[in-house]
Every structure is written in C-alpha cells, then in structure tokens.
Amino acid sequence: MVTREEAWNLLTEYNKEAFHLEHAEIVELTMKYFARKLGYGEEETFWGIVGLLHDLDFEQYPEEHCIKEQEIMRAHGIDERIIHATASHGYGITVDIKPEHEMEKVLYAVDELTGLIGAAVLMRPSKSIQDLELKSVKKKFKSKGFAAGCSREVIERGAEMLGWTLDELIEQTIEALKTFQD
C-alpha cells in the first residue's frame, strides 16, 4: 500500500498548479470524513489516498483523464484497488469503469460537489463554510451559469448511486468540509 507521503510525491510529480493540489487535498479530507461517517474508519487512509490521487492525470492529460492515470499508477506500482477507484470517478465521461464499492460512489459524487460548494463559499460575505447552509448550495446548484465546470448531472448520478437524495449528499458534504475548512 502506498503511503500518504508517496502518494503526495506522485501527485506533485504530475501536478504543479496550486488549484489542483488544493482540490486533491480537499477531496482527500472529504473522503476520509466519509470513511469515518460510513463505518469504514479502518480504511480512512486508503479512502484519503484515493481522494488525493483521483485527478493525478488531469493537469497534464485532461483529454485522457482517468485513462492516463491508470498507466502512470501502474508504472509506479500503485495498488490496483486505488487504480480502479480513481479511474471509476470518470465513469460515463472518459471511462467505462463503473463505481462499485461505496467508496468509489462517494468519490464519484463528491469530486464535482466539493468544487461547487467551494465556489459557493467564495461568494459568501463571510468567505467561510462554517455558516453555509443547504439552501444556499441548492440555489447555486440550480443556477447553471454558476460554477459551470461542475457537472450537476454527475453530482445527481452520484447521489443516486449511493441511494441518497441530493439534499443528503449536499448536507453531508458541507458537514465534511466544515470539519477541516475555515
């Protein structure tokens, strides 16, 4: 199993932009939160590493996202479970690798959603997630021009895969982000 430090070193070998590195850490911490929340506490580090590495190839190979990262990870001896999990978040977009495990479904759902919530936070007078409520995110979610790069369809499909309502997914992701963001 790759360590967090080894995963970070691999990530920074292929990603240099602060935005991508920050997004990777946000998804890492969100995944760790959900591991604890959903009863997978013993796999918290694994879930976090999947979150950290999920966009490994995006900065350098955006047109081959979730495809190229499989090659890169295999070349670096990364566990096949991590490869499958990270690649599955591109299901129906760039790959046909379906999210199977609950962890993969969480990654699929929260990747785009953390971006949308982050954009909503930046629009708030407080610039803090601590006072962010579901209704604010739902309003932004319905506005197609807001954070247009965040696919609402993927977020909705992710909630459906998990068997959650969209409101449940958004509320839980806000709670996850509140635990580590100011």
Side-chain angles (χ1 to χ4, degrees):
M1 176 59 121
V2 63
T3 67
R4 200 277 179 188
E5 182 180 359
E6 291 166 336
W8 178 257
N9 290 341
L10 180 59
L11 179 69
T12 57
E13 183 179 332
Y14 290 89
N15 292 268
K16 306 297 181 201
E17 293 180 25
F19 173 82
H20 290 140
L21 297 174
E22 182 180 331
H23 174 68
E25 288 183 304
I26 288 169
V27 175
E28 171 192 20
L29 294 171
T30 302
M31 292 298 292
K32 289 173 79 170
Y33 169 89
F34 276 106
R36 292 187 305 272
K37 176 85 175 163
L38 298 173
Y40 297 94
E42 72 284 352
E43 294 182 21
E44 182 179 334
T45 301
F46 174 72
W47 283 46
I49 288 171
V50 167
L52 189 66
L53 292 176
H54 80 283
D55 279 346
L56 176 65
D57 61 357
F58 189 78
E59 189 173 311
Q60 291 187 17
Y61 307 99
E63 300 303 316
E64 298 177 88
H65 182 42
C66 296
I67 298 167
K68 198 71 171 169
E69 73 183 23
Q70 295 175 65
E71 281 176 40
I72 295 167
M73 287 188 201
R74 284 190 181 101
H76 285 85
I78 302 296
D79 185 285
E80 283 295 323
R81 291 186 322 146
I82 294 172
I83 295 169
H84 186 278
T86 57
S88 74
H89 90 280
Y91 177 66
I93 304 162
T94 56
V95 296
D96 291 328
I97 301 168
K98 187 173 185 177
E100 295 167 359
H101 187 278
E102 191 169 24
M103 177 266 299
E104 295 171 342
K105 295 172 184 178
V106 169
L107 176 63
Y108 184 90
V110 304
D111 178 30
E112 297 285 318
L113 183 54
T114 57
L116 186 122
I117 291 172
V121 167
L122 292 175
M123 299 299 294
R124 300 186 62 71
S126 67
K127 304 278 192 253
S128 172
I129 193 158
Q130 299 306 324
D131 59 353
L132 184 65
E133 295 178 358
L134 171 64
K135 64 182 179 185
S136 297
V137 176
K138 287 286 293 255
K139 184 176 179 182
K140 299 295 188 192
F141 186 89
K142 290 176 184 173
S143 172
K144 300 300 178 202
F146 179 80
C150 297
S151 172
R152 275 71 166 162
E153 185 179 313
V154 167
I155 295 167
E156 288 171 333
R157 252 188 276 144
E160 188 177 305
M161 282 181 192
L162 287 162
W164 300 353
T165 66
L166 181 60
D167 286 4
E168 289 171 321
L169 176 62
I170 293 170
E171 282 182 320
Q172 286 302 308
T173 305
I174 290 170
E175 288 307 309
L177 294 170
K178 282 182 178 180
T179 64
F180 63 86
Q181 284 193 329
D182 198 338

